[in-house]
Amino acid sequence: MRKNKNIIIALVIIILIVAGIVALLYTRTDLFKSDEDLFYKYLLSTEFVNKEVSQRYTKVVNRIQASNFSANGTVYCSMSANDTATNISNIQNLFAIKYNLLANKNLKQNYADFTISSNNKDITTLRYLRDDNIYALKADNVVDKYLALENKELKSFCAKLGIEDTSKIPNQIQTNTTQKLLDIDKEQLNTIKSTYTKILTDKLTKDNFTKITNTDKTKTIELSLTQKQLADIKKALLENLKNDTNTLNLIIEKAEILDYDLNVDSLKTSIQEKMDEITNTEKSETPGFFKLAVRIKDNKTVAINLITTQIEEGNQTQETINIDLSESNKLIIYINDGKQSIKEDISFGYEDNKILCNTETLELDESNNVKSSMAKIQYEIINYETDNMTQNMLITLNSSEANQKIQINMDNKIQLRQDVQIEKITDKNATILNNQTQEEISNLIYKIVLRVQYLYGDVLKNINN
């Protein structure tokens, strides 16, 4: 009996060891994972931008957003046209802008001025002033005071301008809209994610996934759906959403931030109409209507390929997006909409106190060879860990048809500081338009138009001609 008991104990120990090894292999390797599990794993772990670059740039943005600062810089725009006869470029300076910025986060104040010049001659200086919930503009040689508007009762103000239908105009434009839209309770967000992810995954079977080994030893796992399968997934998601009161209320809450008036009944009606449209439209069961593939090398995603089918007036066209992640600190995106093929070449880099990002947009021919360079952006931020940062950007736009090139040079020096002082908006330096009558506003507009015609009449005539 003791011998049998020892054998049982030994078997239990062996089973536990084997189970532990299997669990370790499952969690640490891809050995026992299905194609479906591998697809989700590598798709969700895709790193589009190097974490170090992303963290550094996020740090810069957060520092600026959390600080008072002053800034100044210039923008130069020039155009060059190549003379095909002489092969000499004719360079023309179009305009230049010098600007100054101030921001006081604590008092919710901002100031900016932009001096616009052309042919080394100043045209005008535009000024912007924000004081809490009042926003103001001024052109130095057009008006003596700021024209200010308080961000409230905007429907009433627009009615004074002669706008008859103000139903779609908000009474107040929300600030920090993006932050408010993204501010969702973590527990509620996790519930939404898990609920709708399960609906999606339950609709997919192992037959929707295929895995192949490529000639370069990389592996590709592809999700493929027919038009009917894609429609069934959309319908299932909508069906659940229609009965998901919590999520519907969240949608209504976020819509209110954008000043949209929604209610549960209207949302449910819209969702049902979309479901009926899906049900009443014939769907093809031909494979490959939608394809999403991940390519894997050395347990890392090195490419993502997306193929979608568009149907317009009975004609089908395929749009493809291929993202190449195989090179470190580089992102190459190929886009083909059936009419034009474009390549986006994006590279990132960083040094001790500098972040770099270069982007080039290239037009490709039918053989995917470079046909022309459409645009190029070169950006850098220097000394970003200090309180005195410098940003430089060069934008180049090429027109092969007109044989022209436009260049925009920008530089920006930012100083993070606490002692930023900005004037407040008062009756002495501003005209508060909310307090004006319709007649006063009309007279003001009339005077501004006359002044602009007097100052820039010749320029406006040349533009119209």
Side-chain angles (χ1 to χ4, degrees), residues 44 54 111 196 351:
L44 297 176
S54 178
Y111 168 82
Y196 291 91
E351 298 174 6

Side-chain angles (χ1 to χ4, degrees), residues 123-278:
I123 298 172
T124 188
T125 297
L126 301 176
R127 301 180 189 273
Y128 164 77
L129 184 59
R130 177 208 171 190
D131 186 5
D132 196 5
N133 206 36
I134 303 177
Y135 300 79
L137 294 172
K138 181 171 80 167
D140 280 3
N141 50 354
V142 177
V143 291
D144 296 328
K145 288 184 174 184
Y146 283 99
L147 301 181
L149 183 66
E150 191 169 2
N151 187 19
K152 68 176 186 178
E153 299 178 2
L154 298 182
K155 289 181 184 289
S156 174
F157 172 73
C158 289
K160 293 178 184 178
L161 296 178
I163 299 174
E164 295 181 1
D165 183 7
T166 61
S167 59
K168 295 183 180 180
I169 296 173
N171 253 327
Q172 180 176 350
I173 297 174
Q174 297 291 335
T175 57
N176 299 322
T177 302
T178 303
Q179 183 178 345
K180 291 177 181 178
L181 287 173
L182 297 177
D183 186 16
I184 302 174
D185 178 75
K186 189 173 182 180
E187 185 177 344
Q188 185 178 12
L189 183 60
N190 288 334
T191 300
I192 293 172
K193 284 181 179 179
S194 61
T195 299
Y196 291 91
T197 299
K198 187 176 187 305
I199 294 171
L200 174 63
T201 55
D202 284 350
K203 281 289 183 180
L204 301 175
T205 67
K206 64 179 182 179
D207 295 332
N208 294 120
F209 297 88
T210 56
K211 182 173 70 174
I212 61 171
T213 301
N214 305 304
T215 54
D216 61 356
K217 305 302 181 183
T218 61
K219 290 183 171 63
T220 297
I221 306 173
E222 181 183 84
L223 165 65
S224 178
L225 298 171
T226 67
Q227 186 183 17
K228 186 177 185 308
Q229 289 172 331
L230 190 61
D232 288 343
I233 291 173
K234 291 179 181 178
K235 188 175 178 181
L237 293 170
L238 290 171
E239 179 70 43
N240 191 86
L241 179 60
K242 181 184 173 184
N243 300 302
D244 185 353
T245 304
N246 289 334
T247 303
L248 291 177
N249 286 330
L250 178 63
I251 293 172
I252 293 170
E253 175 190 327
K254 298 304 178 183
E256 287 177 356
I257 296 173
L258 300 173
D259 210 53
Y260 286 106
D261 187 15
L262 299 179
N263 57 67
V264 171
D265 290 337
S266 65
L267 274 178
K268 286 186 175 183
T269 300
S270 298
I271 293 170
Q272 186 60 53
E273 288 174 354
K274 188 63 181 176
M275 290 169 56
D276 293 340
E277 180 185 332
I278 293 172

Side-chain angles (χ1 to χ4, degrees), residues 24 30 73-74 78 82 99 116 129 134 191 198 209 233 237-238 241 282 307 316 324 333 393 419 423 449 457:
L24 183 65
D30 297 336
T74 55
S78 63
N82 192 45
Y99 64 86
I116 305 170
L129 184 59
I134 303 177
T191 300
K198 187 176 187 305
F209 297 88
I233 291 173
L237 293 170
L238 290 171
L241 179 60
E282 187 176 347
I307 300 176
Q316 288 192 6
D324 185 345
I333 305 173
M393 183 181 291
D419 60 335
E423 64 176 320
V449 170

Side-chain angles (χ1 to χ4, degrees), residues 346-410:
I346 307 169
S347 60
F348 308 93
Y350 60 89
E351 298 174 6
D352 289 340
N353 213 354
K354 180 191 291 187
I355 302 174
L356 306 168
C357 179
N358 296 322
T359 302
E360 186 170 15
T361 304
L362 303 163
E363 185 179 11
L364 306 179
D365 61 20
E366 294 179 355
S367 302
N368 277 339
N369 296 316
V370 176
K371 185 178 177 182
S372 64
S373 175
M374 301 172 67
K376 185 183 290 186
I377 301 175
Q378 297 167 277
Y379 169 82
E380 67 176 6
I381 180 165
I382 306 169
N383 296 327
Y384 68 88
E385 290 188 341
T386 72
D387 288 342
N388 294 280
M389 310 177 193
T390 300
Q391 292 176 304
N392 298 306
M393 183 181 291
L394 172 62
I395 301 174
T396 304
L397 306 174
N398 297 307
S399 174
S400 55
E401 295 180 358
N403 203 25
Q404 292 178 338
K405 178 172 68 175
I406 294 176
Q407 281 196 330
I408 302 173
N409 289 273
M410 294 183 283

Side-chain angles (χ1 to χ4, degrees), residues 2-66:
R2 181 182 292 247
K3 184 177 180 181
N4 290 336
K5 185 176 181 180
N6 290 338
I7 292 173
I8 292 172
I9 292 173
L11 287 172
V12 169
I13 293 173
I14 291 171
I15 291 171
L16 290 174
I17 292 173
V18 171
I21 293 173
V22 171
L24 183 65
L25 289 172
Y26 183 82
T27 55
R28 299 289 180 86
T29 73
D30 297 336
L31 190 59
F32 295 109
K33 290 186 174 71
S34 67
D35 294 344
E36 184 176 358
D37 290 337
L38 291 174
F39 176 84
Y40 296 135
K41 172 187 173 181
Y42 286 105
L43 180 65
L44 297 176
S45 64
T46 301
E47 187 177 285
F48 292 98
V49 180
N50 180 286
K51 285 183 180 179
E52 185 66 27
V53 175
S54 178
Q55 288 172 355
R56 287 170 182 249
Y57 189 73
T58 299
K59 181 180 179 181
V60 174
V61 173
N62 289 340
R63 286 191 69 208
I64 294 174
Q65 289 181 344

